[in-house]
Amino acid sequence: MPVEAIERGGGVPGGLVSAAHPAPAFAVTGMATALAVAVGRGPAGCLLVGLAVLAGQLCVGWSNDVIDVRRDIAAGRRDKPLAAGALTTSTARAAACGAGVACVPLSLASGPTAGAAHLTGVASALAYNAVLKRTRWSWLPYALAFGLLPAFVTLGLPGHPWPPAWLLAAAALLGVGAHLTNVLPDIDADLADGIRGLPHRLGAARSRALAALALLGASLLLALGPPGPPGALGWTGLALAAALTAAAALPRARRADSRLPFLLTIGLSALDLALLLLRGAALR
């Protein structure tokens, strides 16, 4: 959005919201909270999960824009509040630090093991922002952060149970798919700036294919992993997931910088979670 639109959205508050990458931040927070409800976390536990995940997402989003501000200015990214001048770097840095500090006690309030799982995921995302996005290991922080999210939710239950292996694997694959579809619109600009993450090394066509495999693999695990047959609802959901996967990862968007594949990936994640919860799967 242009700087004028950011300013109309509320000056500094509007800039902070935009710089926080609100779509993925609130989507991940909502899905984690829904999972907490499904596994039987009480109202306080669900609230703590939501607040901890939101704090982590805000820290990661704001730090990403702080780290990338010089590159975004050079690329003329008027949709970025820091690059557009609608938000100062010092304000965004302070907000990221504040969210990161708040994330620690909020995560540990679910217990030391659960807290460690979530903080490890947040730390891996920060490592991606700072270093790993430029390496062949760029996929790993996404796989780790997404994969540990169900663990954070279930480890806060009495007895501190780990979620089933199929759920951990499915969440990790969703993370890999999200990474690939998120990077696709920026591959050419990233390469010009010297960024050589996994999608950049594979190229756009192979990255789209790998994203499709990862996202479809996640949906298959979520449909077939829980005990019992998927039933009509499960098979219908899997067909819808396959259609979303094709739309998110295979066709070229009309615009090279389209974020539609990443937004479709978020929608696919929400669909997978809904099907999982509707089946009443044993998540612990």
Side-chain angles (χ1 to χ4, degrees):
M1 82 180 70
V3 64
E4 292 84 0
I6 295 172
E7 290 171 344
R8 286 195 301 268
V12 171
L16 282 171
V17 170
S18 181
H21 302 238
F26 288 112
V28 172
T29 300
M31 287 185 280
T33 305
L35 189 59
V37 173
V39 302
R41 297 284 296 262
C46 293
L47 179 62
L48 285 171
V49 165
L51 291 175
V53 172
L54 180 59
Q57 291 292 305
L58 292 175
C59 177
V60 171
W62 285 325
S63 69
N64 177 78
D65 277 20
V66 169
I67 291 170
D68 286 350
V69 63
R70 292 181 183 275
R71 188 164 64 92
D72 290 339
I73 290 173
R77 292 291 300 270
R78 304 296 290 173
D79 58 321
K80 296 284 191 176
L82 273 71
L87 186 68
T88 65
T89 302
S90 59
T91 298
R93 184 182 295 111
C97 291
V101 169
C103 184
V104 175
L106 287 170
S107 300
L108 294 175
S110 290
T113 308
H118 185 238
L119 293 173
T120 298
V122 173
S124 71
L126 294 173
Y128 170 86
N129 287 347
V131 177
L132 293 178
K133 71 191 302 180
R134 298 177 176 271
T135 75
R136 69 180 70 246
W137 300 102
S138 61
W139 59 273
L140 184 58
Y142 273 81
L144 190 60
F146 274 69
L148 286 175
L149 201 56
F152 170 50
V153 173
T154 64
L155 286 169
L157 290 165
H160 315 297
W162 280 86
W166 54 264
L167 181 54
L168 292 172
L173 285 173
L174 281 173
V176 173
H179 170 48
L180 294 167
T181 56
N182 188 39
V183 169
L184 278 173
D186 298 323
I187 280 186
D188 291 338
D190 288 346
L191 286 171
D193 198 47
I195 293 178
R196 296 279 293 169
L198 179 64
H200 311 91
R201 296 166 191 263
L202 292 176
R206 285 190 290 180
S207 292
R208 279 192 294 272
L210 182 57
L213 289 175
L215 295 171
L216 187 58
S219 297
L220 285 169
L221 282 171
L222 291 172
L224 305 177
L233 183 62
W235 289 118
T236 300
L238 189 57
L240 289 173
L244 279 176
T245 296
L250 292 180
R252 287 186 180 273
R254 291 182 180 179
R255 289 173 47 199
D257 61 348
S258 173
R259 295 290 169 184
L260 181 61
F262 185 58
L263 295 176
L264 287 172
T265 300
I266 294 175
L268 174 63
S269 302
L271 172 64
D272 284 338
L273 176 62
L275 290 170
L276 183 65
L277 302 184
L278 286 173
R279 286 196 61 194
L283 300 177
R284 50 190 171 109

